[in-house]
Amino acid sequence: MMTTVGEPPELKKYSGLQRAAALLLALGQEHGIPIWQQLNDDEIKELSASISQLGRVPAVVVEYLLSQFSGEVSSITTLHGSYETTERLLEGVLAPDRVKDIMEDIRGPSGRTMWDKLSNVSEGVLAGYLKSEHPQTVAVILQKLKPDHAARVLAALPRDFGTEVVMRMLRTETVQKDVIVQVEQTLKTEFMTNLSRAQRRDPHEAMAELFNALDRSTEEAMLGALDERAPEAAERIRGLMFTFEDLGNLLPAAIQVIVRNCNKRELALALKGAPEDMRKLFFGAMTERAAKLMRDDMQAMGPVRARECESAQGNLVRLAKELGDRGEILLADPKSDDAMIY
């Protein structure tokens, strides 16, 4: 039986929750099972989160905490709480599914509740997920977020969709608890669980974006060099790149949105170096008068350097991708078997 020891000064920096976490970590699986089995899920998550963030616990604190329990602890000098030790501890106490849920919960974006966690997800990522949901579901979610974050998410949604969400929010009265629980569960299983996977970005995607920003000659030179040293990587990057020529696969309505949002001088430069079919596509998205003025501007430019045209075309591609990310246009993937070419 361990003798009682005096309270060490180091104990003062530990809260009640941290002391309980350190004690359960010290007790381990065998001696801790009776305690863990008496806790509900929220208590388990709270203690598990505290254990995972505990860090090093001095031996004198461990000894003091364990002095109220019988057992041999002479081999214990210090403890170190981490995600890994927390998971190992829970695996010997709880069913695998409960361990998985708890670890995903405490490893996700910071915050105790699902709504706290969502508030730590960027508005762009969250809006990208929500724009494919039903407006009523989005209305419920935005009402649970902090107003400033909800406002940024709303601004990132497609305009018509966002308006419909606002209308639903205005008409929504008290939301039943079971609806909130169902929405939380959906967010947990379909969004939070996949968030970390989505953030593990394919390096080929990053390189495709980088190559899109290069001038044409440098792009061709780099891809040519990759063709010799890593042909599979070069082919993968080409497949992920979105080029000026790919704009020709967009719907006329998407071209109109691009024309309305672009710098008109850059558009003139881009079309100056474009093939005739691309020129016709963009002129067709303008009024007859605007198209005539654009042709006049292009003619008045006289000879221009090819790299200036390519730079303008690159800026037009970046604008199209920004509009696509905001949901204002649909970017067709010409390399996909499911792509619709118009």
Side-chain angles (χ1 to χ4, degrees), residues 55-212:
R56 181 182 178 276
V57 182
V60 290
V61 173
V62 176
E63 185 179 0
Y64 177 80
L65 293 172
L66 285 169
S67 65
Q68 301 171 61
F69 292 80
S70 43
E72 180 58 47
V73 292
S74 58
S75 61
I76 297 179
T77 55
T78 64
L79 297 173
H80 191 277
S82 66
Y83 288 116
E84 291 70 27
T85 54
T86 303
E87 190 167 12
R88 285 197 297 270
L89 179 63
L90 294 180
E91 283 172 349
V93 177
L94 304 173
D97 288 343
R98 288 187 72 194
V99 174
K100 180 175 180 290
D101 288 344
I102 289 167
M103 292 308 299
E104 283 178 351
D105 193 69
I106 66 175
R107 270 192 167 117
S110 59
R112 289 189 58 186
T113 70
M114 176 60 66
W115 312 110
D116 290 337
K117 293 175 188 299
L118 282 183
S119 292
N120 290 313
V121 175
S122 74
E123 58 268 21
V125 171
L126 187 52
Y129 168 74
L130 293 179
K131 68 183 181 181
S132 61
E133 293 295 306
H134 192 281
Q136 184 62 49
T137 302
V138 180
V140 171
I141 291 171
L142 292 189
Q143 285 178 317
K144 295 288 288 182
L145 296 180
K146 295 176 183 177
D148 58 339
H149 189 57
R152 291 194 298 272
V153 174
L154 184 63
L157 292 171
R159 185 62 53 84
D160 291 344
F161 183 79
T163 302
E164 179 62 26
V165 170
V166 170
M167 294 301 297
R168 302 273 179 156
M169 293 172 73
L170 289 171
R171 293 196 296 265
T172 299
E173 297 179 357
T174 303
V175 181
Q176 295 181 351
K177 186 176 180 181
D178 59 338
V179 174
I180 296 291
V181 171
Q182 185 178 1
V183 170
E184 284 187 86
Q185 186 60 35
T186 301
L187 286 168
K188 183 176 182 180
T189 56
E190 294 184 8
F191 180 60
M192 286 299 183
T193 302
N194 295 322
L195 182 60
S196 59
R197 297 174 193 165
Q199 290 174 338
R200 297 184 198 127
R201 194 179 184 195
D202 184 344
H204 295 86
E205 292 181 8
M207 290 307 301
E209 284 194 5
L210 188 151
F211 275 44
N212 273 334

